[in-house]
Amino acid sequence: MNVVFTMSCSKCLGNVVYENKNTGDLCSSCFLDMVEKRLRKEIKNSGWLNKNEKVLILDDDSLEANVTEDLFKKVMGSLPLQVEKKKELSEKYDHIILPWSLEREVNGFLNNLFTSKKNEETQSKCIKLLKSISEEEIVLIAKIKNIPGKLKGTEKDYIADLEKKYPGGKMALVKAMKEFG
């Protein structure tokens, strides 16, 4: 007789789809709850959005843009906002939500640090909603929610080797970046 052990969610005992030493092993439902809670906390702490503001979700035909739109609508729920998704930037909006990821955020920071250049996306109107969500997590969210699209990815990946050698290094860099302001 062969005994097969399957891992179960550390919160609800469902089937594990996400393994992480910091959050524990999570099923799809608990994983989505964790991501949504993380985004709600970041939005609340940042004071980004207020009632009745006009918000543009920038659509670059990427998976990041599609996941951003889905999570934004889910997380913002009852807050009355005027939300549009378009491919072009416009000054008529109070805020612009960029399709972003943790990897893009860290690579942008390191690129700015090494080249002394500032990205245009650092404008005060721009919100990088998924800057604390890894590309791996974005792909998993899309898979769970059946969201179509392809990752846009990053131009020069300064952190791929770092993450391979030191798991959790990307998130540690994001925390350190907050101290640099």
Side-chain angles (χ1 to χ4, degrees), residues 124-174:
S124 62
K125 280 184 153 189
C126 294
I127 297 173
K128 300 171 188 173
L129 186 67
L130 302 185
K131 71 180 180 181
S132 65
I133 310 296
S134 72
E135 289 176 350
E136 177 186 355
E137 292 169 328
I138 290 171
V139 169
L140 182 56
I141 293 164
K143 183 178 176 183
I144 292 168
K145 293 183 157 220
N146 295 316
I147 299 172
K150 183 179 175 188
L151 278 175
K152 186 165 185 161
T154 53
E155 293 174 18
K156 176 146 176 64
D157 195 352
Y158 290 105
I159 59 170
D161 291 336
L162 174 75
E163 186 66 21
K164 285 178 188 170
K165 194 169 183 178
Y166 305 104
K170 288 187 282 192
M171 192 56 82
L173 275 170
V174 168

Side-chain angles (χ1 to χ4, degrees), residues 15-113:
N15 293 330
V16 170
V17 297
Y18 178 74
E19 298 175 32
N20 185 294
K21 66 179 183 176
N22 296 322
T23 62
D25 300 335
L26 302 174
C27 68
S28 57
S29 177
C30 292
F31 169 70
L32 291 174
D33 287 345
M34 181 224 24
V35 168
E36 291 166 9
K37 183 178 178 183
R38 191 188 308 171
L39 292 177
R40 275 188 199 93
K41 181 179 178 183
E42 189 163 342
I43 290 169
K44 182 180 177 187
N45 291 341
S46 68
W48 282 330
L49 301 167
N50 297 306
K51 289 192 312 186
N52 301 320
E53 288 187 313
K54 291 174 147 183
V55 178
L56 169 67
I57 298 175
L58 189 61
D59 182 8
D60 63 355
D61 293 323
S62 68
L63 185 62
E64 292 96 324
N66 295 338
V67 170
T68 296
E69 178 184 26
D70 181 86
L71 288 175
F72 182 76
K73 288 179 177 177
K74 173 84 171 154
V75 168
M76 297 314 296
S78 63
L79 186 66
L81 296 168
Q82 297 174 32
V83 180
E84 292 184 44
K85 185 176 177 185
K86 293 185 176 181
K87 295 184 185 301
E88 322 81 41
L89 288 172
S90 172
E91 291 297 318
K92 71 177 190 173
Y93 297 94
D94 298 308
H95 298 285
I96 300 166
I97 311 266
L98 300 175
W100 213 251
S101 68
L102 183 136
E103 287 82 0
R104 279 177 148 181
E105 183 70 6
V106 172
N107 281 329
F109 173 78
L110 293 174
N111 189 38
N112 292 344
L113 187 66

